[in-house]
Amino acid sequence: GSRRIYRLTLERVGIILGDPDVTEVTERDLVAALTEAYPTASPASWNRHVATLRSFYSFATRQGWTVGDPTRALERRREVVHHDRALTRDQVEAIFNDKSLTVRDQALFRLLYESAARANEVLCLNIEDLDRAKKRATTRRKGGDLDVIHWQTGTARLLPHVVGTRKRVPLFLADQPPNQTQAPASTDIDPDTGHARLSYRRAAEIFKDVSGGATLHSLRHSAISHLAEEGVPLPLLMAKSRHASLKTVERYARPSVEAVAALTAAHDPA
């Protein structure tokens, strides 16, 4: 995937530059070529192209192909990060009780909410990672370190229907066996059914449909927000969400409008 993205950027900019020798490209040439190649690029896309060119010229310098670095003139653009809004408790319950969901999807969405884990941390789980008696599992967190996530009774009641008689390999499986062009890793395939691990893309599509456009990440955001509204201290929220800093947790732990309204009413002297 990285090679494909790098190739697209380098070929497109290279065509505009006229396929010159890397030593002949000036800072002005490179800025003009990148601007012409991607005139309507979003800040995130623009920054990705800039990073690609910088990586290429850094490599070229290490190989002794060029001395100067024309990418110094390329300016990154400021990205505005929009965090997903937290769902209300009623919205979360409505999703859990949607009759169109399969047991697999019900279990996945409940597990994401009850554990406040990242979607990739849950989708990468294998059956042998689970400790169902203690309602926990060992997963690989963002950054690669092993970590433990915890769930509640709602998930615990659904997992037996998802696992069945299987003893190992992926916990959440796709509906259909993979086609020949996908070629997933052997560790991502259930040898009994031939089905591969459920992908993030497919899980996100299902959740978007049932939630009215929300993202999978909104379940994590909602879980942290709801715990904060219940008065759970920030250190415990940090442990639950496994964020690296309290500052990051504070960004998620924003009480909803309904929570502020309830607080105001509860302290109304009249």
Side-chain angles (χ1 to χ4, degrees):
S2 297
R3 288 196 297 270
R4 181 179 64 84
I5 295 299
Y6 271 52
R7 182 170 62 250
L8 289 173
T9 299
L10 294 174
E11 286 183 351
R12 189 164 177 175
V13 174
I15 289 172
I16 293 174
L17 287 170
D19 245 353
D21 188 287
V22 291
T23 60
E24 299 174 357
V25 179
T26 66
E27 294 180 1
R28 181 176 298 180
D29 292 338
L30 198 58
V31 171
L34 186 59
T35 303
E36 182 180 343
Y38 302 99
T40 60
S42 67
S45 296
W46 174 268
N47 292 341
R48 185 174 67 248
H49 298 311
V50 169
T52 297
L53 289 169
R54 286 178 176 171
S55 178
F56 169 73
Y57 270 94
S58 176
F59 174 77
T61 300
R62 293 197 302 272
Q63 302 306 309
W65 300 341
T66 181
V67 178
D69 181 9
T71 64
R72 292 177 300 179
L74 296 176
E75 296 286 346
R76 290 176 57 87
R77 295 176 179 173
R78 185 170 180 268
E79 298 181 40
V80 179
V81 180
H82 297 283
H83 296 288
D84 294 323
R85 289 182 177 273
L87 302 171
T88 66
R89 288 176 174 80
D90 289 342
Q91 288 175 318
V92 172
E93 281 302 318
I95 293 170
F96 291 162
N97 296 322
D98 193 296
K99 301 301 182 184
S100 67
L101 291 178
T102 63
V103 174
R104 177 203 66 189
D105 297 334
Q106 290 177 4
L108 171 60
F109 299 154
R110 277 193 178 274
L111 179 50
L112 286 171
Y113 178 74
E114 293 179 1
S115 66
R118 300 174 181 87
N120 284 328
E121 294 172 343
V122 170
L123 289 170
C124 77
L125 286 174
N126 291 333
I127 293 173
E128 55 267 34
D129 298 326
L130 308 181
D131 185 345
R132 285 191 278 169
K134 294 183 179 180
K135 298 186 180 72
R136 64 179 63 168
T138 302
T139 187
R140 197 163 291 280
R141 67 182 301 175
K142 184 179 180 180
D145 294 333
L146 292 178
D147 213 337
V148 178
I149 61 174
H150 305 261
W151 58 83
Q152 298 169 328
T153 302
T155 299
R157 289 173 175 168
L158 291 169
L159 282 179
H161 301 286
V162 176
V163 175
T165 58
R166 296 184 296 138
K167 302 296 183 184
R168 56 190 179 88
V169 293
L171 172 59
F172 296 107
L173 296 173
D175 297 317
Q176 302 293 333
N179 58 47
Q180 293 182 347
T181 60
Q182 291 174 315
S186 58
T187 54
D188 287 335
I189 298 178
D190 178 12
D192 296 328
T193 64
H195 291 208
R197 188 184 305 277
L198 179 65
S199 69
Y200 180 97
R201 179 188 60 80
R202 180 57 185 149
E205 287 176 351
I206 296 171
F207 187 74
K208 183 178 181 180
D209 289 340
V210 75
S211 66
T215 66
L216 282 176
H217 184 73
S218 65
L219 286 171
R220 172 174 166 84
H221 188 169
S222 303
I224 300 170
S225 296
H226 295 166
L227 290 172
E229 290 171 1
E230 293 172 5
V232 176
L234 280 176
L236 272 179
L237 283 179
M238 184 176 175
K240 173 70 174 177
S241 63
R242 292 160 296 110
H243 278 111
S245 69
L246 286 174
K247 184 177 180 180
T248 307
V249 179
E250 290 173 350
R251 188 176 65 218
Y252 285 86
R254 293 180 177 176
S256 65
V257 172
E258 290 78 9
V260 175
L263 171 69
T264 305
H267 290 78
D268 185 348

Coordinates of all heavy atoms in Angstrom, one line a residue, residues 13-95:
V13 N 4.1 13.9 -10.0 CA 5.0 15.1 -9.9 C 6.1 15.0 -10.9 O 6.5 16.0 -11.6 CB 5.6 15.3 -8.5 CG1 6.6 16.4 -8.4 CG2 4.4 15.5 -7.5
G14 N 6.7 13.8 -11.1 CA 7.7 13.6 -12.1 C 7.3 14.0 -13.5 O 8.1 14.5 -14.3
I15 N 6.1 13.6 -13.9 CA 5.6 13.9 -15.2 C 5.5 15.4 -15.5 O 5.9 15.9 -16.5 CB 4.2 13.2 -15.5 CG1 4.4 11.7 -15.6 CG2 3.6 13.8 -16.7 CD1 3.1 11.0 -15.6
I16 N 5.0 16.1 -14.4 CA 4.9 17.6 -14.6 C 6.3 18.2 -14.7 O 6.5 19.2 -15.4 CB 4.1 18.2 -13.4 CG1 2.7 17.7 -13.5 CG2 4.2 19.7 -13.3 CD1 1.8 18.1 -12.3
L17 N 7.3 17.7 -13.9 CA 8.6 18.2 -14.0 C 9.4 17.8 -15.3 O 10.4 18.4 -15.5 CB 9.4 17.7 -12.8 CG 9.1 18.3 -11.4 CD1 9.8 17.5 -10.3 CD2 9.5 19.7 -11.3
G18 N 8.8 16.9 -16.0 CA 9.4 16.5 -17.3 C 10.5 15.4 -17.1 O 11.4 15.3 -17.9
D19 N 10.3 14.6 -16.0 CA 11.2 13.5 -15.8 C 12.7 13.9 -15.7 O 13.5 13.4 -16.4 CB 11.0 12.4 -16.8 CG 10.5 11.1 -16.2 OD1 10.4 11.1 -15.0 OD2 10.2 10.2 -16.9
P20 N 13.0 14.9 -14.9 CA 14.4 15.4 -14.9 C 15.3 14.6 -14.0 O 14.8 13.7 -13.2 CB 14.3 16.8 -14.3 CG 13.1 16.7 -13.3 CD 12.2 15.7 -14.0
D21 N 16.6 14.8 -14.0 CA 17.5 14.2 -13.1 C 17.2 14.9 -11.7 O 16.9 16.1 -11.6 CB 18.9 14.5 -13.5 CG 19.9 13.8 -12.6 OD1 20.1 14.2 -11.5 OD2 20.5 12.8 -13.1
V22 N 17.3 14.1 -10.6 CA 17.0 14.6 -9.3 C 17.8 15.8 -8.9 O 17.4 16.6 -8.1 CB 17.1 13.5 -8.2 CG1 16.0 12.5 -8.4 CG2 18.4 12.8 -8.2
T23 N 19.1 15.8 -9.4 CA 20.0 16.9 -9.1 C 19.6 18.2 -9.8 O 20.1 19.3 -9.4 CB 21.4 16.6 -9.5 OG1 21.5 16.4 -10.9 CG2 21.9 15.3 -8.8
E24 N 18.7 18.2 -10.8 CA 18.3 19.4 -11.5 C 17.1 20.1 -11.0 O 16.8 21.2 -11.4 CB 18.1 19.0 -13.0 CG 19.3 18.4 -13.7 CD 19.0 17.9 -15.1 OE1 17.8 18.0 -15.5 OE2 19.9 17.5 -15.8
V25 N 16.4 19.4 -10.0 CA 15.1 20.0 -9.5 C 15.4 21.0 -8.5 O 16.1 20.8 -7.5 CB 14.2 18.9 -8.9 CG1 12.9 19.5 -8.4 CG2 13.9 17.8 -10.0
T26 N 14.9 22.2 -8.7 CA 15.0 23.3 -7.7 C 13.8 23.4 -6.8 O 12.8 22.7 -7.0 CB 15.2 24.7 -8.4 OG1 13.9 25.0 -9.1 CG2 16.3 24.6 -9.5
E27 N 14.0 24.1 -5.7 CA 12.9 24.3 -4.8 C 11.7 24.9 -5.4 O 10.6 24.4 -5.2 CB 13.4 25.2 -3.6 CG 14.5 24.6 -2.7 CD 14.9 25.5 -1.6 OE1 14.3 26.6 -1.5 OE2 15.8 25.1 -0.8
R28 N 11.9 25.9 -6.3 CA 10.8 26.5 -7.0 C 10.1 25.5 -7.9 O 8.8 25.5 -8.0 CB 11.3 27.7 -7.8 CG 10.2 28.5 -8.5 CD 10.7 29.7 -9.2 NE 11.2 30.7 -8.2 CZ 11.8 31.8 -8.6 NH1 11.9 32.2 -9.8 NH2 12.2 32.7 -7.6
D29 N 10.9 24.7 -8.6 CA 10.3 23.7 -9.5 C 9.4 22.7 -8.8 O 8.3 22.4 -9.2 CB 11.4 22.9 -10.2 CG 12.2 23.7 -11.2 OD1 11.7 24.8 -11.7 OD2 13.4 23.4 -11.4
L30 N 9.9 22.3 -7.6 CA 9.2 21.3 -6.9 C 7.9 21.8 -6.3 O 6.8 21.1 -6.4 CB 10.0 20.7 -5.8 CG 9.6 19.4 -5.2 CD1 9.5 18.3 -6.3 CD2 10.6 18.9 -4.1
V31 N 7.9 23.0 -5.8 CA 6.7 23.6 -5.2 C 5.7 23.8 -6.4 O 4.5 23.5 -6.2 CB 7.0 25.0 -4.6 CG1 5.7 25.7 -4.2 CG2 7.9 24.8 -3.3
A32 N 6.1 24.3 -7.5 CA 5.2 24.6 -8.6 C 4.6 23.3 -9.1 O 3.4 23.2 -9.5 CB 5.9 25.3 -9.8
A33 N 5.4 22.2 -9.2 CA 5.0 20.9 -9.8 C 3.9 20.3 -8.8 O 2.9 19.7 -9.2 CB 6.1 20.0 -10.0
L34 N 4.2 20.3 -7.5 CA 3.3 19.7 -6.5 C 2.0 20.5 -6.5 O 0.9 19.9 -6.4 CB 3.9 19.7 -5.2 CG 3.1 19.0 -4.1 CD1 2.9 17.5 -4.5 CD2 3.9 19.0 -2.7
T35 N 2.0 21.8 -6.6 CA 0.8 22.6 -6.6 C 0.0 22.3 -7.9 O -1.2 22.2 -7.8 CB 1.2 24.1 -6.6 OG1 2.0 24.4 -5.4 CG2 -0.1 25.0 -6.5
E36 N 0.6 22.2 -9.0 CA -0.1 21.9 -10.3 C -0.6 20.4 -10.2 O -1.7 20.2 -10.8 CB 0.9 22.0 -11.5 CG 0.2 21.7 -12.8 CD 1.2 21.9 -14.0 OE1 2.2 22.6 -13.8 OE2 0.9 21.4 -15.1
A37 N 0.1 19.5 -9.6 CA -0.3 18.1 -9.6 C -1.6 18.0 -8.7 O -2.5 17.1 -9.0 CB 0.8 17.2 -9.1
Y38 N -1.6 18.7 -7.6 CA -2.7 18.5 -6.6 C -3.3 19.9 -6.2 O -3.1 20.3 -5.1 CB -2.2 17.8 -5.4 CG -1.6 16.4 -5.7 CD1 -0.3 16.2 -5.8 CD2 -2.5 15.3 -5.9 CE1 0.3 15.0 -6.1 CE2 -2.0 14.1 -6.2 CZ -0.6 13.9 -6.3 OH -0.1 12.7 -6.6
P39 N -3.9 20.6 -7.1 CA -4.4 22.0 -6.8 C -5.5 22.0 -5.8 O -5.7 23.0 -5.2 CB -4.9 22.4 -8.2 CG -5.3 21.2 -9.0 CD -4.3 20.2 -8.5
T40 N -6.3 20.9 -5.7 CA -7.4 21.0 -4.8 C -7.3 20.0 -3.6 O -8.2 19.6 -3.0 CB -8.7 20.6 -5.5 OG1 -8.6 19.3 -6.1 CG2 -9.0 21.6 -6.6
A41 N -6.0 19.6 -3.3 CA -5.8 18.6 -2.3 C -6.2 19.2 -0.9 O -5.9 20.3 -0.6 CB -4.3 18.2 -2.3
S42 N -6.7 18.3 -0.1 CA -7.0 18.7 1.3 C -5.7 18.8 2.1 O -4.7 18.3 1.6 CB -7.9 17.6 1.9 OG -7.2 16.4 2.1
P43 N -5.7 19.5 3.2 CA -4.5 19.6 4.0 C -3.9 18.2 4.3 O -2.7 18.1 4.2 CB -5.0 20.3 5.3 CG -6.1 21.1 4.8 CD -6.8 20.3 3.8
A44 N -4.7 17.2 4.6 CA -4.2 15.9 5.0 C -3.5 15.3 3.8 O -2.4 14.7 3.9 CB -5.3 15.0 5.5
S45 N -4.2 15.4 2.6 CA -3.6 14.8 1.4 C -2.3 15.6 1.0 O -1.3 14.9 0.6 CB -4.6 14.9 0.2 OG -5.7 14.1 0.5
W46 N -2.4 16.9 1.0 CA -1.2 17.7 0.7 C 0.0 17.3 1.6 O 1.1 17.1 1.0 CB -1.5 19.2 0.8 CG -0.3 20.1 0.6 CD1 0.5 20.5 1.6 CD2 0.1 20.6 -0.6 NE1 1.5 21.3 1.0 CE2 1.3 21.4 -0.3 CE3 -0.3 20.5 -1.9 CZ2 2.0 22.1 -1.3 CZ3 0.4 21.2 -2.9 CH2 1.5 22.0 -2.6
N47 N -0.2 17.2 2.8 CA 0.9 16.8 3.8 C 1.4 15.4 3.5 O 2.6 15.2 3.7 CB 0.4 16.9 5.2 CG 0.1 18.4 5.6 OD1 0.5 19.3 5.0 ND2 -0.7 18.5 6.7
R48 N 0.5 14.6 3.0 CA 1.0 13.2 2.7 C 1.9 13.3 1.5 O 3.0 12.6 1.4 CB -0.2 12.3 2.4 CG 0.2 10.8 2.2 CD -1.0 9.9 2.0 NE -1.8 10.2 0.8 CZ -3.0 10.7 0.8 NH1 -3.6 11.0 2.0 NH2 -3.6 11.0 -0.3
H49 N 1.6 14.1 0.5 CA 2.4 14.2 -0.7 C 3.8 14.9 -0.3 O 4.8 14.5 -0.9 CB 1.7 15.1 -1.8 CG 0.4 14.5 -2.3 ND1 0.3 13.1 -2.7 CD2 -0.8 15.0 -2.4 CE1 -0.9 12.9 -3.1 NE2 -1.6 14.0 -2.9
V50 N 3.7 15.9 0.5 CA 4.9 16.5 1.0 C 5.8 15.5 1.7 O 7.0 15.4 1.4 CB 4.6 17.7 1.9 CG1 5.9 18.2 2.6 CG2 4.0 18.8 1.1
A51 N 5.2 14.7 2.5 CA 6.0 13.7 3.3 C 6.6 12.7 2.3 O 7.8 12.2 2.5 CB 5.1 13.0 4.3
T52 N 5.9 12.3 1.3 CA 6.4 11.4 0.3 C 7.6 11.9 -0.4 O 8.7 11.3 -0.6 CB 5.3 11.0 -0.8 OG1 4.2 10.4 -0.1 CG2 5.9 10.1 -1.9
L53 N 7.6 13.2 -0.9 CA 8.7 13.8 -1.6 C 9.9 14.0 -0.6 O 11.0 13.8 -1.0 CB 8.2 15.2 -2.1 CG 7.3 15.1 -3.3 CD1 6.7 16.5 -3.6 CD2 8.0 14.5 -4.5
R54 N 9.6 14.4 0.6 CA 10.7 14.5 1.6 C 11.4 13.2 1.8 O 12.6 13.1 2.0 CB 10.2 15.1 2.9 CG 9.9 16.6 2.8 CD 9.3 17.1 4.1 NE 9.1 18.6 4.0 CZ 8.4 19.3 5.0 NH1 8.0 18.7 6.0 NH2 8.3 20.6 4.8
S55 N 10.6 12.1 1.9 CA 11.2 10.8 2.2 C 12.0 10.4 1.0 O 13.1 9.8 1.1 CB 10.0 9.8 2.4 OG 10.6 8.5 2.6
F56 N 11.5 10.7 -0.2 CA 12.3 10.3 -1.4 C 13.6 11.1 -1.5 O 14.7 10.5 -1.8 CB 11.5 10.6 -2.7 CG 12.3 10.5 -4.0 CD1 12.6 9.3 -4.5 CD2 12.7 11.7 -4.6 CE1 13.4 9.2 -5.6 CE2 13.4 11.6 -5.8 CZ 13.8 10.4 -6.3
Y57 N 13.6 12.4 -1.3 CA 14.8 13.2 -1.3 C 15.8 12.8 -0.2 O 17.0 12.9 -0.4 CB 14.6 14.7 -1.4 CG 14.4 15.1 -2.8 CD1 13.1 15.2 -3.4 CD2 15.5 15.4 -3.6 CE1 13.0 15.6 -4.7 CE2 15.4 15.8 -4.9 CZ 14.1 15.9 -5.5 OH 14.0 16.3 -6.8
S58 N 15.3 12.4 0.9 CA 16.1 12.0 2.0 C 16.9 10.7 1.6 O 18.1 10.5 1.9 CB 15.3 11.8 3.3 OG 16.1 11.2 4.3
F59 N 16.1 9.8 1.0 CA 16.7 8.6 0.5 C 17.8 8.9 -0.6 O 18.9 8.3 -0.6 CB 15.6 7.7 -0.1 CG 16.1 6.4 -0.8 CD1 16.6 5.3 -0.1 CD2 16.2 6.4 -2.2 CE1 17.0 4.2 -0.7 CE2 16.6 5.2 -2.8 CZ 17.1 4.1 -2.1
A60 N 17.4 9.8 -1.5 CA 18.3 10.2 -2.6 C 19.6 10.7 -2.1 O 20.7 10.5 -2.6 CB 17.7 11.1 -3.6
T61 N 19.5 11.5 -1.0 CA 20.7 12.1 -0.4 C 21.6 11.0 0.3 O 22.8 11.0 0.1 CB 20.3 13.1 0.7 OG1 19.6 14.2 0.1 CG2 21.6 13.7 1.4
R62 N 20.9 10.1 0.9 CA 21.7 9.0 1.5 C 22.4 8.1 0.5 O 23.5 7.5 0.8 CB 20.8 8.1 2.4 CG 20.2 8.8 3.6 CD 19.7 7.7 4.6 NE 18.6 6.9 4.0 CZ 17.3 7.2 4.0 NH1 16.9 8.4 4.5 NH2 16.4 6.4 3.5
Q63 N 21.8 8.0 -0.7 CA 22.5 7.3 -1.8 C 23.5 8.0 -2.5 O 24.2 7.5 -3.4 CB 21.4 6.8 -2.8 CG 20.3 6.0 -2.2 CD 20.8 4.8 -1.4 OE1 21.6 4.0 -1.9 NE2 20.3 4.6 -0.2
G64 N 23.7 9.3 -2.2 CA 24.7 10.2 -2.8 C 24.3 10.6 -4.2 O 25.1 11.1 -5.0
W65 N 22.9 10.6 -4.5 CA 22.5 11.0 -5.8 C 22.3 12.5 -5.9 O 22.3 13.1 -6.9 CB 21.1 10.4 -6.1 CG 21.1 8.9 -6.1 CD1 22.2 8.1 -6.3 CD2 20.0 8.0 -6.0 NE1 21.8 6.8 -6.3 CE2 20.5 6.7 -6.1 CE3 18.6 8.2 -5.8 CZ2 19.6 5.6 -6.0 CZ3 17.8 7.1 -5.8 CH2 18.3 5.8 -5.9
T66 N 22.1 13.2 -4.7 CA 21.9 14.6 -4.7 C 22.5 15.2 -3.4 O 22.5 14.5 -2.4 CB 20.4 15.0 -4.8 OG1 20.3 16.4 -4.8 CG2 19.6 14.3 -3.7
V67 N 22.8 16.4 -3.5 CA 23.4 17.1 -2.3 C 22.3 18.0 -1.7 O 22.1 18.1 -0.5 CB 24.7 17.9 -2.6 CG1 25.2 18.6 -1.4 CG2 25.7 16.9 -3.1
G68 N 21.7 18.8 -2.5 CA 20.7 19.8 -2.1 C 19.3 19.1 -1.8 O 19.1 17.9 -2.2
D69 N 18.5 19.8 -1.1 CA 17.2 19.2 -0.7 C 16.1 20.2 -1.1 O 15.8 21.1 -0.3 CB 17.1 18.9 0.8 CG 15.8 18.3 1.2 OD1 15.0 17.9 0.3 OD2 15.5 18.1 2.4
P70 N 15.5 20.1 -2.3 CA 14.5 21.1 -2.7 C 13.2 21.0 -1.9 O 12.3 21.9 -2.0 CB 14.2 20.7 -4.2 CG 14.6 19.3 -4.3 CD 15.7 19.1 -3.3
T71 N 13.0 20.0 -1.1 CA 11.8 19.8 -0.4 C 11.7 20.8 0.8 O 10.7 20.9 1.5 CB 11.6 18.4 0.2 OG1 12.6 18.1 1.1 CG2 11.6 17.4 -1.0
R72 N 12.8 21.5 1.1 CA 12.8 22.5 2.2 C 11.8 23.6 2.0 O 11.3 24.2 2.9 CB 14.2 23.1 2.4 CG 15.3 22.1 2.9 CD 16.6 22.8 3.0 NE 17.1 23.2 1.6 CZ 18.2 23.9 1.4 NH1 19.0 24.1 2.4 NH2 18.5 24.3 0.2
A73 N 11.5 23.8 0.7 CA 10.5 24.9 0.4 C 9.1 24.5 0.5 O 8.2 25.3 0.3 CB 10.8 25.5 -1.0
L74 N 8.8 23.2 0.6 CA 7.5 22.7 0.7 C 6.9 22.9 2.1 O 7.5 22.4 3.1 CB 7.4 21.2 0.4 CG 7.9 20.8 -1.0 CD1 7.9 19.3 -1.2 CD2 6.9 21.4 -2.1
E75 N 5.8 23.6 2.2 CA 5.2 23.9 3.5 C 4.0 22.9 3.8 O 3.2 22.7 2.9 CB 4.7 25.3 3.5 CG 5.7 26.4 3.4 CD 6.6 26.6 4.6 OE1 6.1 26.1 5.7 OE2 7.6 27.2 4.6
R76 N 4.0 22.4 5.0 CA 2.9 21.6 5.4 C 1.7 22.5 5.6 O 1.9 23.6 6.0 CB 3.2 20.8 6.6 CG 4.2 19.6 6.4 CD 4.5 19.0 7.7 NE 3.4 18.5 8.4 CZ 2.8 17.3 8.2 NH1 3.3 16.5 7.3 NH2 1.7 16.9 8.8
R77 N 0.5 22.0 5.4 CA -0.7 22.7 5.7 C -1.4 22.3 7.0 O -1.3 21.1 7.3 CB -1.7 22.6 4.5 CG -1.1 23.1 3.2 CD -2.1 22.9 2.0 NE -1.5 23.5 0.8 CZ -2.1 23.3 -0.4 NH1 -3.2 22.5 -0.5 NH2 -1.5 23.8 -1.5
R78 N -2.0 23.3 7.6 CA -2.6 23.0 8.9 C -3.8 22.1 8.8 O -4.7 22.5 8.0 CB -2.9 24.3 9.7 CG -3.5 24.1 11.1 CD -3.5 25.4 11.8 NE -4.0 25.3 13.1 CZ -5.3 25.4 13.4 NH1 -6.2 25.7 12.5 NH2 -5.7 25.3 14.7
E79 N -3.9 21.0 9.5 CA -5.0 20.1 9.4 C -5.9 20.4 10.6 O -5.5 20.5 11.8 CB -4.6 18.7 9.5 CG -3.7 18.2 8.3 CD -3.3 16.8 8.4 OE1 -4.2 16.0 8.8 OE2 -2.2 16.4 8.1
V80 N -7.2 20.5 10.3 CA -8.2 20.7 11.4 C -8.8 19.3 11.7 O -9.4 18.7 10.9 CB -9.3 21.7 10.9 CG1 -10.4 21.8 12.0 CG2 -8.8 23.0 10.5
V81 N -8.6 18.9 13.0 CA -9.0 17.6 13.4 C -10.4 17.7 14.0 O -10.6 18.4 14.9 CB -8.0 17.0 14.4 CG1 -8.5 15.6 14.9 CG2 -6.6 16.9 13.8
H82 N -11.3 16.9 13.4 CA -12.7 16.9 13.9 C -12.9 15.6 14.7 O -12.9 14.5 14.1 CB -13.7 17.0 12.8 CG -13.6 18.3 12.0 ND1 -14.1 19.5 12.5 CD2 -13.0 18.6 10.8 CE1 -13.9 20.4 11.6 NE2 -13.2 19.9 10.6
H83 N -13.1 15.7 16.0 CA -13.3 14.5 16.8 C -14.8 14.1 16.7 O -15.7 15.0 16.7 CB -13.0 14.8 18.2 CG -11.5 15.1 18.4 ND1 -10.5 14.1 18.3 CD2 -10.8 16.2 18.7 CE1 -9.4 14.6 18.5 NE2 -9.5 15.9 18.7
D84 N -15.0 12.8 16.6 CA -16.4 12.3 16.6 C -17.2 12.7 17.8 O -16.7 12.7 18.9 CB -16.4 10.8 16.5 CG -15.8 10.3 15.2 OD1 -16.0 11.0 14.2 OD2 -15.1 9.3 15.1
R85 N -18.4 13.1 17.6 CA -19.3 13.4 18.7 C -19.7 12.1 19.5 O -19.9 11.1 18.8 CB -20.5 14.1 18.3 CG -20.3 15.6 17.8 CD -21.6 16.2 17.4 NE -21.4 17.6 17.0 CZ -21.4 18.6 17.8 NH1 -21.6 18.4 19.1 NH2 -21.3 19.8 17.3
A86 N -19.8 12.2 20.8 CA -20.2 11.1 21.5 C -21.7 10.8 21.3 O -22.5 11.8 21.2 CB -19.9 11.3 23.0
L87 N -22.1 9.6 21.2 CA -23.5 9.2 21.1 C -24.1 9.2 22.5 O -23.4 9.1 23.5 CB -23.6 7.8 20.5 CG -22.9 7.5 19.1 CD1 -22.9 6.0 18.8 CD2 -23.6 8.3 18.0
T88 N -25.4 9.5 22.5 CA -26.1 9.4 23.8 C -26.3 8.0 24.2 O -26.2 7.1 23.3 CB -27.5 10.1 23.7 OG1 -28.3 9.4 22.8 CG2 -27.3 11.5 23.1
R89 N -26.6 7.7 25.4 CA -26.9 6.4 25.9 C -28.1 5.8 25.1 O -28.0 4.6 24.8 CB -27.2 6.4 27.4 CG -25.9 6.6 28.2 CD -26.3 6.7 29.7 NE -25.1 6.8 30.6 CZ -24.4 7.9 30.8 NH1 -24.8 9.0 30.2 NH2 -23.4 7.9 31.5
D90 N -29.1 6.5 24.8 CA -30.2 6.0 24.1 C -29.8 5.6 22.7 O -30.3 4.6 22.2 CB -31.3 7.1 24.0 CG -32.0 7.3 25.4 OD1 -31.9 6.4 26.2 OD2 -32.7 8.3 25.6
Q91 N -29.0 6.4 22.1 CA -28.5 6.1 20.7 C -27.7 4.8 20.7 O -27.8 3.9 19.8 CB -27.7 7.2 20.2 CG -28.4 8.4 19.8 CD -27.5 9.6 19.3 OE1 -26.5 9.9 19.9 NE2 -27.9 10.3 18.3
V92 N -26.8 4.6 21.7 CA -26.0 3.4 21.9 C -26.9 2.2 22.0 O -26.8 1.1 21.4 CB -25.0 3.5 23.0 CG1 -24.3 2.2 23.3 CG2 -24.0 4.6 22.7
E93 N -27.9 2.3 22.9 CA -28.9 1.2 23.2 C -29.7 0.9 21.9 O -29.9 -0.3 21.6 CB -29.8 1.5 24.3 CG -29.2 1.4 25.7 CD -28.7 -0.1 25.9 OE1 -29.4 -1.0 25.6 OE2 -27.5 -0.2 26.5
A94 N -30.1 1.9 21.2 CA -30.8 1.6 19.9 C -30.0 0.9 18.9 O -30.5 0.0 18.2 CB -31.3 3.0 19.3
I95 N -28.7 1.2 18.9 CA -27.8 0.4 18.0 C -27.7 -1.0 18.4 O -27.8 -2.0 17.6 CB -26.4 1.1 17.9 CG1 -26.5 2.4 17.2 CG2 -25.4 0.2 17.2 CD1 -25.3 3.3 17.4

